[in-house]
Amino acid sequence: MSENTPLVSIIMGSDSDWSVMSEAATILETLGISYEKKVVSAHRTPKLMFEFAENAYSRGVRVIIAGAGGAAHLPGMVASLSSLPVIGVPVRSSNSIDGWDSILSILQMPGGVPVATVALNGAKNAGILAAQVLGTSDVTIYDKIVKYKEELEAAVLSKKL
Ligand code: RP5
């Protein structure tokens, strides 16, 4: 596995999801975790989705973050095809009914095929959760999460009303 092999793959159903999904990339960059980003559509490029999901582990990917809007089948289908942990990001897209369709499509998975679903447009938390998964077996990443949480606490404590 090369040093440049991404540990996290950020996939999304459309380039129109990037304005939301880029928040996962930003926090992963802050934490110094390698990632890749790709448009993979469950409906428009199903063959690519199969190929991606079946090869992600052997390429070195260890966590998949998948975002989609509307009838959001990408996270669940990738979770059905791969044994890697999949974090789902419901996107409030232009074709979405207030985001509820995306939330329910990603959240309500059948038993046996989990998708760890974050909040609507919650790509930042998806990035943090991906780092936390990686941190269970990598003390350097774990320590970065500890520091990040300490900084969160300090930022709140320093606020003056
Ligand atoms: C979903 O449809 C995508 O994930 C996106 O959120 C939404 C709209 O896609 P575009 O029509 O903008 O490409 O599949």
Side-chain angles (χ1 to χ4, degrees):
M1 202 181 298
S2 93
E3 265 183 34
N4 294 326
T5 303
L7 288 170
V8 179
S9 188
I10 303 172
I11 58 172
M12 62 214 83
S14 169
D15 59 347
S16 64
D17 297 321
W18 178 241
S19 59
V20 169
M21 298 305 291
S22 61
E23 290 187 34
T26 300
I27 190 71
L28 289 170
E29 273 169 34
T30 302
L31 294 168
I33 295 171
S34 58
Y35 69 90
E36 63 180 6
K37 54 185 192 292
K38 294 175 184 295
V39 173
V40 180
S41 169
H43 303 123
R44 293 166 176 158
T45 63
K47 291 177 198 154
L48 173 65
M49 179 191 66
F50 266 70
E51 193 268 330
F52 166 83
E54 290 189 337
N55 295 320
Y57 180 79
S58 60
R59 289 196 298 111
V61 172
R62 291 296 174 260
V63 184
I64 295 168
I65 298 173
H73 294 121
L74 180 66
M77 285 306 298
V78 169
S80 77
L81 290 161
S82 171
S83 294
L84 289 171
V86 176
I87 303 171
V89 183
V91 174
R92 187 174 179 170
S93 57
S94 60
N95 65 331
S96 174
I97 304 170
D98 269 350
W100 281 111
D101 41 8
S102 326
I103 291 170
L104 297 175
S105 303
I106 297 175
L107 183 68
Q108 291 299 109
M109 288 296 291
V113 189
V115 170
T117 309
V118 297
L120 185 66
N121 288 352
K124 181 177 180 178
N125 273 359
I128 295 168
L129 183 56
Q132 288 175 316
V133 170
L134 295 169
T136 59
S137 58
D138 183 322
V139 73
T140 306
I141 295 175
Y142 184 83
D143 286 345
K144 285 179 182 170
I145 299 285
V146 170
K147 187 164 168 281
Y148 176 76
K149 286 186 171 269
E150 286 170 355
E151 287 167 1
L152 274 185
E153 182 182 40
V156 171
L157 295 176
S158 70
K159 286 191 198 296
K160 303 264 183 285
L161 292 179

